[in-house]
Amino acid sequence: MFREAILGAAESPQLQRFVRRHGMRLGASRFVAGETLDEAVPVLRGLNQKGLYANTTLLGEGAGTESETRAVVRAYTAIFDRLAAERLRVNVALKLTHLGLAFDEELALANVRELVAHGSRRGSFVRIDMEESVHVDATLRVFRALRGEGHENVGTVLQSYLYRSPGDLESLLPLGPNLRFVKGAYLEPRSVAHPEKSRVDEAFRRLVERSLTAGGFSAIATHDEALIAHAIAFAAEGGIPRSRFQFQMLYGVRAGLQLDLVRRGYDVLVATPYGPDWYRYLMRRLAERPANVLFLARNLVRR
Ligand SMILES: Cc1cc2nc3c(=O)[nH]c(=O)nc-3n(C[C@H](O)[C@H](O)[C@H](O)COP(=O)(O)OP(=O)(O)OC[C@H]3O[C@@H](n4cnc5c(N)ncnc54)[C@H](O)[C@@H]3O)c2cc1C
């Protein structure tokens, strides 16, 4: 209910105007590493210095024209160059709607192909995020096309709230894929996604178990300590080496848990986005946790 209310309210133009104007000062910077790459680089370096891996994202989704998508490609090309020049252990996660998927799948494929090839030259990796359920088929088609062309430095995401994800996982396993597992962050109808949190959690557990058993690389992206503990125990019992999986969390969320896992010898990657277009990303983070809305509200009162 809370999640629906926040994600619904996020569409209000008045709220958008207010949050865009004041949000960074009110606390959006807890979740976003700045508005420019120059601001993000020291944050990314700081994470690496603590023993964490990171990925970065130029925030934005739903580009409307081909020329907008070409600007995004140029920006990511510069990001790869900068990450390599700075010798950071940081790769890239991007959204296909930022590259044109919502209006031209071929364009999105051409754009992401160019970026995956450039990332490979810079020794980097591209994670294709998963967006609303209407984009899942096209996203998986693009991922398969890239793998079919021989690109190995690319992975994508499966969302455990979707009924279809176990089937998608089975169909991807022959590729030995690099997959990130998440619960899912969008407002989806009951016809496509489990409405009950307990079922989403159970589905997450099963997807991770299946992926760990089957091969490929599993990025276990959650802050849920019970699911993390389960994955650790499951991998240990099955003799699955730590090199075959990684934990992933969001910048600004459960930083203590991230470091604790590193101390225990697990790889942890912190998803650390930046950019001026942070509004929708912030609203999804607020929708995940009532306390985050209070956090922003407290900063508003303190101003
Ligand atoms: C690295 C990474 C990449 C992601 N990529 C995608 C993607 O491509 N597509 C997609 O749909 N979703 C993505 N997500 C978001 C994901 O779907 C969930 O919405 C999000 O991770 C919250 O779910 P949870 O697994 O942490 O579990 P929850 O059950 O929501 O939370 C478990 C606990 O984690 C903490 N927590 C969770 N979220 C927050 C928060 N925002 N602020 C503070 N504490 C919090 C709380 O302590 C909470 O009790 C990604 C998440 C991560 C970590």
Side-chain angles (χ1 to χ4, degrees):
M1 285 287 276
F2 171 80
R3 203 162 147 257
E4 283 172 28
I6 295 287
L7 293 177
E11 297 306 317
S12 144
Q14 288 91 335
L15 186 69
Q16 277 201 37
R17 260 200 306 279
F18 180 82
V19 175
R20 280 182 200 279
R21 187 167 320 138
H22 303 292
M24 216 57 181
R25 271 180 302 138
L26 294 183
S29 56
R30 174 183 151 188
F31 300 105
V32 175
E35 296 206 335
T36 64
L37 185 55
D38 280 342
E39 287 169 3
V41 162
V43 175
L44 295 166
R45 189 179 299 116
L47 293 168
N48 279 179
Q49 283 166 349
K50 291 178 184 158
L52 297 155
Y53 294 89
N55 68 33
T56 195
T57 297
L58 172 62
L59 288 170
E61 44 206 276
T65 64
E66 179 170 354
S67 71
E68 276 173 33
T69 73
R70 295 304 301 163
V72 176
V73 170
R74 284 193 297 279
Y76 272 115
T77 303
I79 292 172
F80 281 122
D81 293 347
R82 181 77 182 271
L83 296 175
E86 301 272 354
R87 298 181 179 280
L88 294 173
R89 282 176 297 141
V90 178
N91 57 50
V92 159
L94 49 76
K95 293 196 178 352
L96 289 182
T97 64
H98 210 188
L99 297 175
L101 187 74
F103 62 94
D104 185 344
E105 185 176 328
E106 282 304 311
L107 172 68
L109 173 59
N111 282 337
V112 72
R113 179 189 289 124
E114 189 176 325
L115 289 174
V116 168
H118 192 72
S120 169
R121 285 192 289 276
R122 295 285 177 265
S124 195
F125 175 85
V126 175
R127 172 81 55 195
I128 301 175
D129 286 346
M130 194 57 82
E131 304 178 65
E132 290 92 339
S133 58
V134 291
H135 299 306
V136 173
D137 279 326
T139 301
L140 295 182
R141 266 197 304 273
V142 167
F143 172 64
R144 282 176 190 286
L146 293 168
R147 287 295 312 270
E149 292 166 12
H151 297 285
E152 296 285 337
N153 61 320
V154 60
T156 190
V157 180
L158 293 180
Q159 298 153 318
S160 74
Y161 63 10
L162 295 184
Y163 303 130
R164 60 176 289 171
S165 290
D168 287 334
L169 175 59
E170 290 307 319
S171 69
L172 291 171
L173 283 176
L175 299 174
N178 184 322
L179 293 174
R180 174 204 286 157
F181 296 94
V182 301
K183 292 187 187 178
Y186 298 87
L187 201 53
E188 296 290 355
R190 288 170 173 265
S191 52
V192 300
H194 296 289
E196 308 89 354
K197 179 173 162 42
S198 60
R199 288 193 191 272
V200 177
D201 292 357
E202 180 55 23
F204 187 101
R205 193 174 296 126
R206 294 215 182 288
L207 285 172
V208 168
E209 284 179 0
R210 178 72 183 122
S211 173
L212 286 172
T213 315
F217 185 84
S218 310
I220 303 164
T222 181
H223 315 93
D224 187 325
E225 289 194 58
L227 289 177
I228 291 170
H230 178 79
I232 288 174
F234 185 84
E237 275 162 29
I240 294 154
R242 292 181 184 198
S243 56
R244 289 251 326 278
F245 63 96
Q246 172 183 68
F247 293 103
Q248 298 195 347
M249 294 186 216
L250 300 175
Y251 179 67
V253 180
R254 306 296 314 263
L257 178 59
Q258 296 168 12
L259 292 177
D260 184 49
L261 287 165
V262 171
R263 275 192 291 272
R264 292 165 62 192
Y266 295 98
D267 283 352
V268 178
L269 177 146
V270 182
T272 310
Y274 79 93
D277 198 0
W278 41 260
Y279 177 75
R280 285 183 189 284
Y281 181 82
L282 175 66
M283 294 314 272
R284 288 197 291 274
R285 301 297 73 86
L286 297 185
E288 279 156 6
R289 197 158 180 252
N292 291 344
V293 178
L294 293 177
F295 168 74
L296 255 76
R298 265 200 302 273
N299 292 343
L300 177 62
V301 173
R302 277 201 204 114
R303 271 191 333 134

